[in-house]
Amino acid sequence: MGIKKIGVLTSGGDGSGMNAAIRSVVRYATHQKLGVVGIMRGYQGLIDDEVIELTHRSVSGIISKGGTILKTARCPEFLKDEGKERAVKTIKKHNIDALVIIGGNGSYQGAHALFTKHGVACVCLPGTIDNDIGATDATIGSDTAVNTALEAIDKIRDTCTSMERIFVVEVMGRDCGFIAIQVAIGGGAENVLIPEKKFDIKEIAENITEGNIRGKISWIIIVAEGAARADDIANKITELTNLETRVAVLGHVQRGGIPTAKDRILATRLGAAAVDLLLKGQFGKAVGVLNDEINAVSLDVAFKKKELKVDNLCQLIKILT
Ligand code: ADP
Ligand code: F6P
């Protein structure tokens, strides 16, 4: 029996471009004569039976909007068997044959559990600013987040240079230094601290002091939130160098805003590819783009943390400082 109706949901931390993905799923699926419903607030909406009908028209004008029209949530209840059973009840009640789930690592694990333990046909799209999902070069929202953070860092550089200060800028990335590395390279930062690599604060402080003696007047240290808190780093640097150090925590600005062209195009390609996979009966898969080609792997392969290759980039930052 083929698929007649699919459900789409966004889950976990949002990212710009999720709306473009929803639009693509809905329009590509209706083009393939499938019925489409949206589930509000991720897995919470499956548990609470918050299901809405989606048509070609429902997704008009959203391709350029940040956030997600379906809302998103973190849902601790779904971790328990009882939560998943209630979700399955909603899926059956609405005759949903398959789900397209747009989210990060956690959402992928939820989909894997639905597929393997409850036989729910699922395909996932990578929607997270962290770009830490396997088998895809990029995730929806990561390019926008990097560009947003970079714009802020450029502005910080202006005041940092003018007032001859040291700045510690904290960017998002609880377990992953992707954004930090990207903006450190793109913003010409002097140091980058990421969860994947040990750092030596004393060495950084010595470099700052030596630089100061040479007449280097500004210094930007990017820190991923998962590596350390910016305040702690700034206090330590002031203690070790006796130089004024300021802090900027960029926070959730990185998650919103108009999606970049790259995120919209990625989201649009992946949305259609997800529907294609479901039509081919390829369930329990994660879809991504590798070397510009659509790539599908098993969900459990995709949610293993992607290795962030940073050594060359860190070396480059050091050389160019
Ligand atoms: P993200 O998808 O952005 O990584 P989370 O880690 O918060 O965000 O995961 C989103 C939701 O996915 C969680 O709130 C939870 O409902 C579900 N989830 C996460 N991990 C698991 C798991 N191991 N098993 C089942 N569901 C999970
Ligand atoms: O979605 C990923 C992410 O933005 C991480 O980089 C960050 O640590 C986390 O989500 C923040 O989550 P919340 O908005 O729930 O505090």
Side-chain angles (χ1 to χ4, degrees):
M1 197 190 67
I3 284 177
K4 293 200 181 83
K5 193 191 217 180
I6 65 168
V8 56
L9 63 86
T10 47
S11 165
D14 55 348
S16 289
M18 280 185 164
N19 277 328
I22 296 167
R23 171 182 175 272
S24 176
V25 169
V26 172
R27 292 202 168 166
Y28 194 79
T30 48
H31 172 76
Q32 302 287 356
K33 311 270 179 277
L34 299 174
V36 190
V37 291
I39 293 111
M40 302 300 293
R41 299 178 182 80
Y43 295 129
Q44 193 64 52
L46 274 182
I47 290 174
D48 297 340
D49 191 7
E50 275 197 275
V51 179
I52 57 166
E53 201 180 317
L54 292 174
T55 64
H56 190 95
R57 277 285 157 79
S58 325
V59 292
S60 294
I62 66 168
I63 195 165
S64 57
K65 303 267 189 291
T68 155
I69 59 162
L70 296 176
K71 316 283 185 208
T72 184
R74 304 200 195 270
C75 175
E77 220 180 320
F78 191 75
L79 296 171
K80 300 183 198 139
D81 286 344
E82 202 198 322
K84 284 193 271 291
E85 278 153 20
R86 283 180 62 190
V88 171
K89 230 171 157 180
T90 302
I91 293 167
K92 287 192 176 144
K93 178 180 162 191
H94 292 273
N95 299 314
I96 298 168
D97 300 311
L99 286 177
V100 175
I101 291 160
I102 306 163
N105 266 311
S107 305
Y108 274 42
Q109 288 176 60
H112 185 63
L114 271 183
F115 176 62
T116 53
K117 294 194 185 138
H118 300 272
V120 176
C122 299
V123 166
C124 287
L125 309 192
T128 167
I129 63 168
D130 289 346
N131 198 9
D132 56 351
I133 287 179
T136 188
D137 286 332
T139 58
I140 299 162
S142 57
D143 188 60
T144 306
V146 165
N147 280 291
T148 303
L150 195 54
E151 196 185 329
I153 289 160
D154 286 346
K155 288 173 179 161
I156 289 168
R157 175 72 77 184
D158 290 345
T159 173
C160 177
T161 310
S162 303
M163 297 201 69
E164 305 184 86
R165 278 173 168 160
I166 303 161
F167 257 89
V168 181
V169 183
E170 186 178 307
V171 297
M172 273 187 163
R174 196 168 24 210
D175 308 306
C176 176
F178 170 77
I179 296 175
I181 284 283
Q182 296 287 303
V183 298
I185 290 278
E190 278 72 15
N191 298 102
V192 60
L193 314 183
I194 54 171
E196 291 86 349
K197 212 170 158 60
K198 278 199 179 131
F199 58 87
D200 180 350
I201 196 79
K202 282 194 184 138
E203 191 188 325
I204 294 172
E206 276 163 27
N207 290 340
I208 293 173
T209 305
E210 282 162 18
N212 200 256
I213 293 164
R214 287 198 317 269
K216 184 167 170 50
I217 56 169
S218 73
W219 200 283
I220 293 186
I221 300 160
I222 306 292
V223 50
E225 61 174 337
R229 302 316 302 204
D231 269 329
D232 298 338
I233 298 295
N235 289 338
K236 196 76 198 161
I237 284 177
T238 302
E239 184 193 313
L240 294 171
T241 63
N242 230 357
L243 293 168
E244 187 168 13
T245 309
R246 292 295 168 107
V247 164
V249 178
L250 301 187
H252 288 79
V253 293
Q254 295 159 96
R255 286 240 293 261
I258 298 171
T260 58
K262 202 172 159 195
D263 273 329
R264 295 183 206 191
I265 294 160
L266 176 71
T268 302
R269 289 180 72 190
L270 291 178
V275 176
D276 269 339
L277 279 179
L278 291 177
L279 287 170
K280 285 186 201 142
Q282 292 201 28
F283 309 138
K285 293 278 165 76
V287 63
V289 170
L290 267 187
N291 301 321
D292 209 34
E293 299 278 345
I294 295 289
N295 180 50
V297 295
S298 211
L299 280 170
D300 51 346
V301 172
F303 66 63
K304 283 191 194 109
K305 191 173 182 289
K306 179 160 77 179
E307 192 199 345
L308 189 69
K309 296 200 175 95
V310 290
D311 287 344
N312 289 346
L313 293 178
C314 286
Q315 184 62 16
L316 201 51
I317 290 169
K318 225 174 185 171
I319 292 168
L320 300 183
T321 293

